[in-house]
Amino acid sequence: MDRREELEKKRLKLAELRRARLERRDALMAPQQPVTRTSTPGSTSSRRDLDDLVASLVDRPGTPTLTIDGSSDAGSDRGATTSSVVMSPPPYATESQGGLPHGALPFGGRLIPEFTSVEAVIFDIPPKERVVYNKEVQTVEGSFEPQGPSEEELREQIKEEFAKEEQLRLEILEAERLEAEAVVPQEAPELTDEERKSIVQSAEFVDFIDHSSKILERAMTDKYDFMKDYTLGLDDDTEDLNGNRMRLVSSFYDDRWSKNRSVTDVGWSTKHPELLVSAYNKNPLAVNEPDGIVCVWNIHLADRPEFVFHSQSDVLTVRFSDFHPNLIIGGTYSGQILLWDTRAKSLPVLKTHLSVGGHTHPVYALDMVGTQNAHNLISVSTDGTMCSWQLDMLAQPQETLALDYPSHTITDEVAVTTLGFPDGETNAFWVGTEEGNVYQANRYARAGSQAGINTAYSYKGHFGPITGLHFHPLFGPMDFSDLYLTSSVDWTVKLWRKRTHPKPATPDNAVVHPLYSFETADDYVYDVKWSPTHPAIFGTVEGSGKFEVWNLNLDTEVPVMSTIVGAGKALNKLSWSKDGRHAAIGSSDGHVYVYDIGEMATPHAEDWNILQRTVNEMISTQNHGNVLGNDY
């Protein structure tokens, strides 16, 4: 208690010093008022009284005398220091002595005065003072006040005051520190088991732990070799990576969500290059869990997914929105289109209705067409229905189109398994079917063709259901967007060129055959994708667990790279990252693998010309074999 009183006194003393210093500064800075000399009515009255007194003293009784200057001295107040000469009439001779006539002057006309001495009183009265004023300062600083301390003294005094204040402040801080150390810390109350359990199970605590642990795991997942010796040469693995070997980067699997499920689709985020999404089918051993699962994985968080989304049906296809990075779109086995948001919970924020207006059969393919301000989601199902959707309004499709082909022997409907749009195209699209054929269709009717499947052409070459279809991306100095690849369960991958004529020249030209067939697979080929950066590279995944990378500029007979992924289980889907270096592969055992193909993903300037020559050779070989006559 005494220490607190002492501390309070020191604070009061410090405040008093500061106040005194401020008052002294204000006194020094205050301007001095000018002193003026004024004439008051009182002084004027006193002057008049003095004048009256002098007049009464000078005015005596008797005959006034005449001064030389002819003025009367009676009542005169101009008593200068000069004397007055008084003249009196001289005694003249009488008439009896022969006096002079009246007016005559003796001694030849001169008047001889007679001087006498007269006593006179002289008053020295100063003239009335005139006060004159001007606009200048009539007083100087300090003329009415004693001189203060000098500037040097003031400076020293201020320094002493600052030193005292600083010393006092340090004493206060030291006293506060000692007081804080003297306070005994209060022990936190011990929680009961029920209180501890309620806190641990609260939603806020779970969210905090989940978010914080993810951040720590991302930071600790970096696999940088800090012991690397840069003085040594390149090792064998790096040389092989830059040459003809691929490297496993990550493997994603979660015991809770991936166990007993198969990966049905994978895709990369267009906004965040470290994120990828994967879709899963039903877990037959977990009846209480959702039938469909969608997981968002992070390259820097390998042990668990960033987000997990649920579905009431198996999710067959999934993708990030091209124009909204927070949105994830999925197609399900029941025919519903689901929309999830990473900013929301695990359930979809929007979904389509199971009605005649939408899909009622499994949706295996989705695609987005358009631009940032005007785009649509295109979906196709196995009942031969194509729907166009707006992402913010999934209650009803914008348009619905029936894909019918009258030449079918059993039914006119086309069972669509895959879908592809050429880059920059919003009307014409190509679909792969269960019977192994590829058909071109139009969303809208145009000159020379109607909406729906174009029955003038059919692309035939596969002998089983088509599992993948992908158009060559539009980039680089040459346009190869008329080329597309297909994969099938007939163990082959085929290269096609789309037809641009609305109608064939002859009936034989109605059937379009592939430009080239790649037949090195040992099992079903479940997917095929062009590289987004290299014009001649594409990848395939097979049912035997093999991942192959092809380079048409180097070899068209065998792949340039091939590896068995994971445990050798069937590989269902493939997706390239935006930079073309990483390939995400979905496996039937629930694993998602990411491989790096190294510098092979970087193209050279001559790669486009080499690919053009390779394609021309394929066309020439096809023409000489009389398989198809066309005017390439």
Side-chain angles (χ1 to χ4, degrees):
M1 196 67 183
D2 296 339
R3 183 175 295 173
R4 290 188 179 179
E5 293 179 357
E6 181 181 357
L7 183 64
E8 188 64 27
K9 290 180 180 179
K10 291 183 178 181
R11 289 178 179 171
L12 293 176
K13 184 178 179 181
L14 178 62
E16 182 65 23
L17 288 174
R18 291 177 179 173
R19 186 182 62 79
R21 189 182 69 210
L22 292 177
E23 290 179 356
R24 189 179 297 105
R25 183 186 301 171
D26 295 340
L28 292 175
M29 296 300 295
Q32 297 181 357
Q33 297 294 334
V35 180
T36 59
R37 184 175 180 181
T38 58
S39 176
T40 60
S43 60
T44 306
S45 176
S46 299
R47 180 73 180 181
R48 187 180 300 110
D49 293 342
L50 182 60
D51 292 342
D52 294 341
L53 177 61
V54 172
S56 64
L57 292 177
V58 174
D59 189 12
R60 293 188 181 90
T63 304
T65 59
L66 181 65
T67 60
I68 292 178
D69 56 1
S71 61
S72 175
D73 62 349
S76 175
D77 58 352
R78 301 286 181 178
T81 56
T82 59
S83 299
S84 297
V85 180
V86 180
M87 292 186 307
S88 60
Y92 295 105
T94 57
E95 287 185 16
S96 59
Q97 298 176 359
L100 297 175
H102 179 72
L105 296 176
F107 306 105
R110 289 176 39 178
L111 179 63
I112 301 174
E114 182 180 357
F115 296 94
T116 61
S117 176
V118 179
E119 183 181 1
V121 179
I122 301 173
F123 295 93
D124 187 10
I125 300 174
K128 186 177 180 180
E129 182 180 3
R130 292 183 60 190
V131 180
V132 180
Y133 300 94
N134 54 22
K135 295 183 180 180
E136 295 179 355
V137 177
Q138 299 186 15
T139 59
V140 296
E141 184 179 357
S143 60
F144 301 101
E145 295 182 0
Q147 293 294 328
S150 63
E151 182 179 356
E152 190 67 26
E153 294 175 352
L154 289 176
R155 187 178 292 107
E156 293 296 331
Q157 186 177 359
I158 292 175
K159 288 182 179 180
E160 292 177 0
E161 292 179 358
F162 273 110
K164 290 180 180 179
E165 290 183 5
E166 183 66 18
Q167 181 66 24
L168 189 58
R169 186 182 67 83
L170 294 177
E171 293 178 359
I172 293 175
L173 292 177
E174 181 66 18
E176 291 179 350
R177 186 185 65 81
L178 295 176
E179 183 180 0
E181 292 179 355
V183 176
V184 179
Q186 185 179 3
E187 297 182 358
E190 186 176 356
L191 299 176
T192 63
D193 294 340
E194 294 181 357
E195 292 176 343
R196 188 182 298 106
K197 185 177 181 180
S198 62
I199 293 175
V200 171
Q201 293 180 352
S202 63
E204 294 82 1
F205 182 81
V206 172
D207 292 341
F208 169 75
I209 293 297
D210 182 70
H211 179 70
S212 302
S213 59
K214 283 180 181 179
I215 295 176
L216 291 176
E217 289 183 24
R218 291 175 196 161
M220 297 174 63
T221 308
D222 192 359
K223 298 180 180 180
Y224 174 72
D225 184 11
F226 55 89
M227 295 292 293
K228 187 174 182 179
D229 189 356
Y230 292 100
T231 61
L232 302 178
L234 297 176
D235 52 12
D236 294 338
D237 293 338
T238 306
E239 292 177 356
D240 290 339
L241 177 61
N242 292 334
N244 295 316
R245 181 172 296 180
M246 63 185 70
R247 179 173 59 93
L248 177 64
V249 176
S250 301
S251 176
F252 302 105
Y253 183 84
D254 186 87
D255 290 334
R256 179 180 179 185
W257 303 113
S258 304
K259 189 175 182 180
N260 297 323
R261 297 179 188 268
S262 296
V263 179
T264 56
D265 200 4
V266 290
W268 291 88
S269 171
T270 57
K271 175 70 173 180
H272 307 288
E274 69 274 10
L275 297 182
L276 66 151
V277 63
S278 59
Y280 299 83
N281 60 4
K282 183 189 301 182
N283 182 1
L285 302 180
V287 295
N288 295 327
E289 293 183 357
D291 290 344
I293 293 294
V294 171
C295 295
V296 177
W297 303 94
N298 192 328
I299 296 295
H300 307 292
L301 187 66
D303 294 335
R304 56 175 170 163
E306 285 278 353
F307 304 98
V308 178
F309 302 107
H310 300 167
S311 171
Q312 297 179 349
S313 180
D314 297 17
V315 182
L316 303 179
T317 180
V318 70
R319 63 176 295 136
F320 279 98
S321 173
D322 293 344
F323 309 104
H324 304 88
N326 295 318
L327 300 182
I328 299 173
I329 311 160
T332 63
Y333 187 81
S334 63
Q336 283 185 305
I337 307 297
L338 306 181
L339 183 68
W340 296 279
D341 195 330
T342 57
R343 299 164 293 185
K345 299 297 182 180
S346 58
L347 296 178
V349 294
L350 288 175
K351 59 182 178 181
T352 62
H353 300 292
L354 292 174
S355 61
V356 180
H359 296 295
T360 56
H361 285 66
V363 177
Y364 281 96
L366 295 172
D367 205 347
M368 295 195 73
V369 295
T371 61
Q372 173 72 36
N373 298 324
H375 54 270
N376 295 95
L377 174 68
I378 308 298
S379 61
V380 290
S381 58
T382 56
D383 62 347
T385 302
M386 185 221 71
C387 295
S388 176
W389 310 86
Q390 291 282 352
L391 292 183
D392 57 351
M393 188 176 58
L394 296 181
Q396 191 73 18
Q398 293 287 316
E399 58 186 82
T400 302
L401 181 64
L403 302 178
D404 299 331
Y405 193 73
S407 300
H408 280 182
T409 57
I410 301 176
T411 176
D412 293 343
E413 296 177 354
V414 174
V416 179
T417 57
T418 184
L419 166 72
F421 276 86
D423 280 358
E425 181 64 61
T426 59
N427 181 43
F429 60 94
W430 277 252
V431 294
T433 62
E434 289 184 353
E435 68 267 17
N437 295 336
V438 177
Y439 299 101
Q440 186 265 325
N442 299 313
R443 292 175 58 192
Y444 313 108
R446 59 184 181 182
S449 62
Q450 295 181 352
I453 290 181
N454 182 7
T455 58
Y457 294 103
S458 62
Y459 299 80
K460 296 182 179 181
H462 287 292
F463 300 95
I466 295 177
T467 56
L469 186 152
H470 191 222
F471 273 88
H472 196 287
L474 181 60
F475 66 93
M478 293 187 181
D479 183 6
F480 295 103
S481 60
D482 59 342
L483 301 177
Y484 66 92
L485 293 165
T486 57
S487 60
S488 174
V489 298
D490 63 358
W491 299 17
T492 64
V493 173
K494 299 188 184 298
L495 176 64
W496 308 79
R497 176 184 175 269
K498 67 179 183 180
R499 286 300 181 90
T500 57
H501 301 291
K503 291 184 179 181
T506 61
D508 295 336
N509 293 337
V511 177
V512 181
H513 296 277
L515 294 179
Y516 198 82
S517 180
F518 307 92
E519 301 176 355
T520 60
D522 300 330
D523 205 331
Y524 299 158
V525 183
Y526 283 108
D527 202 6
V528 60
K529 289 291 191 306
W530 287 104
S531 169
T533 57
H534 198 291
I537 289 181
F538 66 90
T540 61
V541 289
E542 304 174 7
S544 61
K546 187 182 297 183
F547 169 45
E548 296 180 342
V549 177
W550 295 75
N551 190 337
L552 299 182
N553 291 346
L554 299 180
D555 200 332
T556 59
E557 299 293 335
V558 294
V560 294
M561 290 188 291
S562 179
T563 185
I564 299 296
V565 177
K569 300 296 183 179
L571 306 178
N572 295 332
K573 286 295 178 179
L574 167 67
S575 178
W576 291 101
S577 63
K578 191 175 182 180
D579 60 0
R581 289 182 60 101
H582 299 90
I585 302 168
S587 175
S588 59
D589 60 358
H591 286 79
V592 177
Y593 302 96
V594 177
Y595 277 85
D596 187 353
I597 66 171
E599 296 299 329
M600 181 174 287
T602 304
H604 298 87
E606 65 274 9
D607 285 333
W608 278 268
N609 294 326
I610 297 174
L611 179 60
Q612 182 66 60
R613 291 196 298 266
T614 302
V615 173
N616 290 336
E617 291 176 1
M618 293 178 180
I619 296 297
S620 178
T621 301
Q622 188 180 60
N623 292 335
H624 286 298
N626 294 324
V627 177
L628 178 64
N630 56 52
D631 51 351
Y632 186 78

